[in-house]
Amino acid sequence: MDTHVFDVLVIGAGIAGATAAAHLAATHRVALLEAEESAGYHATGRSAAIWIRNYGGADVRILTAASRGFFEAPPAGFAEASLARPRPVVHLAPADQVEHLRATIAEGDDMREISLDAVQAMAPVLRPGYAVMAAIESDCFDIDVAAMHQGFLRQTRLAGGVLALRSRAGRLWRENGTWHAETSTGAVFTAPTIVNAAGAWGDEVARLAGLAPIGLQPKRRTACIIDPGDHDCADWPLLGDAGHGWYVRPEARRKLMVSPADETDSDPCDAQPDEYDVAVAIDRMQQALDIPVSRIEHRWAGLRSFTPDRGLAIGQGAEAGFFWMVGQGGYGMQTAPAAGRLLAALVAQNDPGALAAAVPLCDPMRFARSAAA
Ligand SMILES: Cc1cc2nc3c(=O)[nH]c(=O)nc-3n(C[C@H](O)[C@H](O)[C@H](O)COP(=O)(O)OP(=O)(O)OC[C@H]3O[C@@H](n4cnc5c(N)ncnc54)[C@H](O)[C@@H]3O)c2cc1C
């Protein structure tokens, strides 16, 4: 049998697996197993790539804030260009969303009301009469996702880690304290520790190992790119409604990403955009913004996978040496640097330092406990 011996096997080479592998590779022999021909083919290659402070639950906010320094000043040689580009986020409230927006401002950090004239000055396409109130989070930024993902993969390789592509873990078992993963190539990888970073397939990987799933639900989100006509949108803020029914994010001078912020339950799969969702995205956007759309340049969909409480699951599961790194939902990019650090500290049984408050919040065992109660 073609057997490869490591200290840690990481299953899935999206952003979760890449940051886990990079942080572990400094001190462990790491193999990163990826089912597809390229790393980042699924959710990681399909995100909107934005860092928003006031997003998600307490666990997400801790890891989002703790990741900020990395985006601003990554280690020397990590990426050729900057990982972060400032991009304010503007929330627009039609009359029926005003209360919701007020509550969001009250519980958020660094978020304040701004006048609709100020929004109009930033994005002169806002239709008069759509919103009655607006708020801005100035301190957000676009993430260069490809550079971050490649940076973590490079760090893994430089530290001696191995990325095995076209290597779907199909059989997982533990023998004499060692995990074995037989991949689609027939090779067997062994290690005392396994990290399940399989994204939408996280529960499937647990079942392969004979372990209970945590109840992950992949949800499809759709996006498309349009040309905003005569407008140069490069410096517009991200604009969306306060009720999360749509948003737009500039990709370049003449490229605007539009999403209906959909969350359609899905099985784990190669998600494809539904024409209806694309039409909904355009319709909702056009109620707010005066942008004619003659052609959709590009459309895609990806799976955002949520745990039952929509929090992250990072830490050891019921079985010795089996770690979860799943449930990144819509925040896998903005939490990635700190999430990898946290996972590596938990695997190595090191003090997670400033991330300690996130440990109980991210504990994957909370789902087993609530099922037993
Ligand atoms: C439209 C959209 C917009 C988004 N916007 C943002 C945003 O603005 N900011 C943000 O922070 N996040 C955003 N996200 C969320 C972010 O993309 C995800 O949280 C993140 O990509 C999840 O990464 P992952 O590594 O867990 O999953 P994935 O990238 O899906 O990686 C999992 C990998 O595991 C592999 N795998 C599965 N099973 C096996 C197996 N048995 N053996 C080997 N490999 C296996 C898969 O092939 C896959 O490559 C968005 C997502 C979408 C879809």
Side-chain angles (χ1 to χ4, degrees):
M1 205 186 278
D2 182 16
T3 303
H4 306 269
V5 179
F6 289 87
D7 297 325
V8 183
L9 307 180
V10 179
I11 300 183
I15 196 63
T19 183
H23 284 87
L24 285 162
T27 45
H28 297 73
R29 291 172 301 165
V30 175
L32 182 51
L33 308 181
E34 170 53 50
E36 301 290 351
E37 285 185 10
S38 61
Y41 176 73
H42 289 288
T44 294
R46 309 179 189 202
S47 93
I50 186 111
W51 183 100
I52 304 179
R53 183 192 302 276
N54 296 299
Y55 195 36
D59 56 341
V60 172
R61 292 181 191 216
I62 292 169
L63 296 187
T64 296
S67 295
R68 188 189 176 94
F70 186 96
F71 288 116
E72 287 175 337
F78 184 84
E80 280 169 14
S82 170
L83 292 180
R85 180 180 191 278
R87 171 88 55 205
V89 171
V90 168
H91 306 262
L92 298 165
D96 61 345
Q97 294 180 15
V98 166
E99 261 178 55
H100 179 68
L101 183 56
R102 285 199 201 290
T104 309
I105 295 172
E107 58 126 41
D109 276 341
D110 187 39
M111 192 173 176
R112 63 186 168 83
E113 186 173 352
I114 52 165
S115 72
L116 295 169
D117 286 346
V119 179
Q120 183 74 35
M122 284 187 279
V125 287
L126 178 65
R127 284 189 195 277
Y130 170 75
V132 297
M133 182 183 171
I136 188 165
E137 293 180 65
S138 305
D139 192 21
C140 303
F141 51 86
D142 292 345
I143 301 168
D144 187 335
V145 164
M148 170 166 67
H149 188 222
Q150 287 306 315
F152 284 133
L153 294 178
R154 193 178 314 112
Q155 275 191 331
T156 304
R157 264 195 316 272
L158 289 175
V162 170
L163 169 62
L165 298 172
R166 293 176 219 88
S167 297
R168 176 177 297 280
R171 222 155 61 84
L172 293 174
W173 70 100
R174 193 160 180 262
E175 215 173 278
N176 302 325
T178 301
W179 284 99
H180 295 62
E182 185 179 328
T183 70
S184 38
T185 66
V188 174
F189 291 77
T190 71
T193 301
I194 213 162
V195 176
N196 175 7
W201 291 265
D203 273 352
E204 197 172 277
V205 163
R207 285 194 196 94
L208 287 174
L211 303 178
I214 60 175
L216 267 184
Q217 180 59 64
K219 290 177 181 281
R220 188 179 69 233
R221 175 152 292 186
T222 310
C224 62
I225 299 286
I226 60 159
D227 179 343
D230 296 335
H231 305 280
D232 175 346
C233 66
D235 294 325
W236 290 358
L238 181 149
L239 292 154
D241 71 329
H244 302 293
W246 64 274
Y247 67 93
V248 298
R249 187 183 78 82
E251 295 251 321
R253 294 162 67 89
R254 299 286 298 269
K255 288 187 191 302
L256 190 64
M257 178 194 147
V258 188
S259 173
D262 46 335
E263 289 198 347
T264 308
D265 285 359
S266 167
D267 289 332
C269 66
D270 184 355
Q272 298 300 320
D274 186 305
E275 277 311 309
Y276 174 78
D277 293 325
V278 174
V280 169
I282 300 301
D283 178 57
R284 291 183 185 165
M285 178 277 288
Q286 284 187 321
Q287 289 176 34
L289 307 180
D290 186 8
I291 301 176
V293 177
S294 55
R295 194 168 67 86
I296 307 290
E297 292 194 357
H298 176 47
R299 67 203 79 198
W300 72 94
L303 299 180
R304 299 154 79 247
S305 297
F306 292 92
T307 66
D309 62 10
R310 294 177 75 98
L312 300 158
I314 302 174
Q316 176 147 357
E319 187 84 4
F322 188 96
F323 285 78
W324 292 83
M325 178 75 167
V326 300
Q328 282 81 0
Y331 6 81
M333 299 305 159
Q334 62 181 54
T335 54
R341 225 159 64 222
L342 175 62
L343 185 275
L346 294 172
V347 168
Q349 299 187 340
N350 289 338
D351 179 357
L355 301 177
V359 174
L361 301 173
C362 295
D363 182 2
M365 290 304 292
R366 69 190 186 276
F367 303 111
R369 282 195 289 271
S370 66

